[in-house]
Amino acid sequence: MAEFTMELNDDQKQVRDWIHGFAADVIRPAAAEWDEREETPWPVIQEAAKVGIYSLDFYAQQFFDPTGLGIPMAMEELFWGDAGIALSIVGTGLAAIGVVANGTEEQIGTWIPQMYGTPDDVKVAAFCSSEPDAGSDVGAMRTRAVYDQAKDEWVLNGTKTWATNGGIANVHIVVAVVDPELGTKGHASFIVPPNTPGLTQGQKFKKHGIRASHTAEVVLEDVRIPGSCLLGGKEKLDERLAKAHERAGAGGGERVKNAAMATFEASRPAVGAMAVGTARAAYEVALDYAKTRTQFGRPIIDNQGVAFQLADMRTSIDAARLLVWRASWMAVAGKPFTSAEGSMSKLFASETAKKVTAQAVQILGGNGFTREYPVERMHRDSAIYTIFEGTSEIQRLVIARTLSGMPIR
C-alpha cells in the first residue's frame, strides 16, 4: 500500500503533462464549436483514441495507480480543457466502473473492450440508472428485470433518463429492479449487448451546459438478454437477495450492497476531480485577465476586491483537490469511507466549481458574460457537478447519515 503523498512522482508528472498537452492542443480549440453544435465530438474522441487517452489500457493504468492519484489527475487535466468534450471522452468510464464494481472477471474481460472499440472504430458505453421518477430517490426505480428460466434470459422493461451516451452506446449497463419487495436492495445491474432488439433512444436533451456530451433517455421494451449478462451472475444475486430477505424479516441488520450505489461510491472522487479541472480553468482565465485588464490607470488585480476573490478562488481549488486526492488514496488503499470522504470530496469540489466560475465571470465583467470568453461556458458547465451522480443535497445526506451511523438508502 502506497503512503499518502501530495507530490506526484516523475512518471505521474509525465502522464499529467501529456494529458495537459492534449487538452490544450486538441480539446480547447474545439470546445466552443462543439458546445454550439451540441453534438458528440467523434473526431476529438477518435484523436484521443489514436494517442491512447481513450482506451481501456490508459484507464486501467490510471485506475491501478498504487497511489490512487492516476484517475483524479487525468480527470482534472481533461476537464481543464473543456467539460463537455472531456465528458464525451470519459463518459464510457462510468459504465466500465459499473462492470468492474459488480461484474465477474469474465464479464470484465469480455465487455469492457467492446465499450471502447478501436482507434479506427471508436465506440462508447452508457450507464443507465436514473429514471423520470427515480433520480435521487433510487428506491422509486420502476425498470424491471424478470428472469425467464426456460430460456436462461432476462427480460427488461422500463425507461431510463439522463443517460450519458444513452442510445448511441455500443454497450449499455442498466440498473433494474429484480425484487420489488426489497426496495433498493432488490436492484441488479445488467449488460445490454450491441444491437439488442427493444432498446431505443428516447428524447435527447438540450442542456444548459456540457453540450458536447450526449444525454438522452433509453427506452427498454421487452429487451431480452442472455443470463450471462447479469453482472456478478445469478448465483451471487440469489445469495444476496436471500440474505436481504432474511435481514428484512429480522427487522434490519447490516447493509446489503446496492448495484448503483457501488458504482457511484467508486466514481464520486473522480467527479470531484472533474469539477476541480473546470474551476482551475476558470480561475486561470480570470487571473490572466486581472493582470492585463487596466481600469483607472492600473491592472484590476491591484484592487483588493478582485485580488481577494482570486485568493479565495485559489484556496478553494487547492482544498477541493486535497479532498479528492484523500478520497482517491483511501479507495485504492482499501480504507473505508467512515466519514463519507468520497461524498465530501464530490460535494466540496462541485460547490467550488460553481462558485469559482461565477467569480470568474464577475471578474471579467461584461466580457465574462459573452461567448467570446470561455468562462461563460465554464460557468454553464459547472452547474452539472452539483447535480449528476448525486446532488449536493444527497451528498450532504450521505455524509450526515454516515456520521450518525444511520443506514444510507
Side-chain angles (χ1 to χ4, degrees), residues 171-186:
V171 178
H172 291 77
I173 304 301
V174 177
V175 182
V177 178
V178 294
D179 191 333
E181 294 182 6
L182 292 174
T184 58
K185 297 180 180 66

Side-chain angles (χ1 to χ4, degrees), residues 31 82 98 119 130 139 154 231 286:
D82 176 68
S130 294
W154 287 90
L231 282 174

Side-chain angles (χ1 to χ4, degrees), residues 328-340:
S328 300
W329 173 77
M330 289 179 67
V332 78
K335 294 184 177 294
F337 289 165
T338 54
S339 299

Side-chain angles (χ1 to χ4, degrees), residues 94-96 98-99 111 115 125-129 171-175 189-192 231 263:
L94 185 59
V99 175
W111 293 106
M115 294 180 174
F127 182 77
C128 308
S129 177
V171 178
H172 291 77
I173 304 301
V174 177
V175 182
S189 291
F190 299 86
I191 303 159
V192 181
L231 282 174
T263 301

